[in-house]
Amino acid sequence: MSVTARPIPDAPPSALADTVLERLTTEYPAAADPERAVGLRAYMRDVAPFLGLTSPVRRSLSRTVLAGVPRPDEPDCTAVALRCWRLPEREYHYFAVDYLRRYVTHCSSGFLPVVRHLLTTVPWWDTVDLLAAHVVGGLVTADRGLTREMDAWIEDEDLWLVRAALLHQLRYKEHTDTDRLFGYCVRQSGHGDFFVRKAVGWCLREYAKTDPDAVRAFVAEHRTRLAPLSVREALRTVGP
């Protein structure tokens, strides 16, 4: 069975998650800015309600929440992430993303179904992109067998899984699997959604920082298939 086809379990028992969530749901609401929350919700196309925390305030509060809390194991990461995701306000989702970015090396390949759940539940670019590049990318780095899952995601009907597959190598630089990178871009070159077309260009542009000639050659070969947006993004920093 595909690792991401397994059902998502309920959040496992975790004393650490109990502590984190108790602190989190005390500290964050106390600093809420309802007026700013309205603007953030509109900017994010009404994907979720917001508390209205600025990024510096949120990060400062997160440090308070985590002060003295031990490092998690994988069940702790699962519990924190799933319990945060069940809370409506978007800042709790941001906390979970930051937490997983910090502790992804504490998780095995078996954690990928949890990440898939996060990618496809209340999805928008603000959480998907960070999860893809930092969490999915980290898991695949640790277990290259997960590339089979990326091969499945790139063909998925869910556009956010497609975007995650495109972006999971964003930070790989010289370790990029170029066959997969270019193959994924060709496979989704005709996708109808803006966010996928943008991701095609973005992952190419990022790899161009490592091998600009390879990206120029790829775009030249496939220019008629690639969306104009993807081409512009891919060549933005290296030229035609």
Side-chain angles (χ1 to χ4, degrees):
M1 178 186 290
S2 167
V3 69
T4 54
R6 286 182 286 210
I8 297 296
D10 290 334
S14 166
L16 184 152
D18 291 343
T19 298
V20 168
L21 269 294
E22 181 180 1
R23 293 181 181 181
L24 189 62
T25 54
T26 299
E27 295 289 339
Y28 271 26
D33 182 339
E35 184 175 346
R36 191 170 187 277
V38 172
L40 285 171
R41 184 167 187 166
Y43 175 70
M44 287 297 175
R45 304 289 181 90
D46 204 30
V47 67
F50 280 77
L51 293 168
L53 305 180
T54 65
S55 293
V57 166
R58 178 172 56 81
R59 293 189 183 108
S60 176
L61 293 173
S62 295
R63 288 192 292 271
T64 299
V65 168
L66 294 175
V69 176
R71 293 181 179 182
D73 57 18
E74 186 171 319
D76 294 326
C77 289
T78 299
V80 169
L82 293 179
R83 288 175 64 177
C84 282
W85 230 258
R86 290 172 187 164
L87 297 171
E89 288 83 11
R90 197 59 161 174
E91 287 89 347
Y92 295 119
H93 306 170
Y94 295 161
F95 177 89
V97 171
D98 290 344
Y99 193 78
L100 296 182
R101 288 176 62 183
R102 183 175 181 179
Y103 292 116
V104 64
T105 56
H106 294 220
C107 298
S108 70
S109 57
F111 189 68
L112 192 61
V114 176
V115 186
R116 186 187 193 282
H117 174 77
L118 304 182
L119 288 166
T120 57
T121 305
V122 201
W124 198 240
W125 63 263
D126 55 339
T127 55
V128 167
D129 294 357
L130 292 173
L131 287 169
H134 295 271
V135 183
V136 177
L139 292 173
V140 175
T141 294
D143 181 0
R144 289 292 181 168
L146 291 180
T147 54
R148 293 189 298 273
E149 298 300 323
M150 299 301 100
D151 292 346
W153 286 14
I154 197 65
E155 302 287 359
D156 202 275
E157 294 181 358
D158 189 303
L159 73 92
W160 299 109
L161 290 182
V162 174
R163 185 169 168 105
L166 286 163
L167 299 181
H168 84 276
Q169 296 194 84
L170 209 60
R171 302 171 69 240
Y172 282 17
K173 299 181 181 179
E174 67 273 11
H175 301 296
T176 299
D177 180 339
T178 53
D179 287 343
R180 276 194 164 82
L181 173 68
F182 294 147
Y184 286 4
C185 290
V186 169
R187 218 169 298 173
Q188 291 299 345
S189 59
H191 199 285
D193 190 89
F194 166 86
F195 284 106
V196 173
R197 298 195 303 271
K198 183 86 168 181
V200 168
W202 182 11
C203 64
L204 291 172
R205 184 178 81 239
E206 194 64 24
Y207 185 60
K209 297 175 183 177
T210 299
D211 191 343
D213 291 339
V215 172
R216 288 192 196 98
F218 172 80
V219 172
E221 181 181 355
H222 298 283
R223 184 182 286 269
T224 58
R225 295 187 60 175
L226 294 167
L229 170 63
S230 301
V231 172
R232 288 196 303 271
E233 288 294 317
L235 301 179
R236 181 186 293 181
T237 60
V238 297

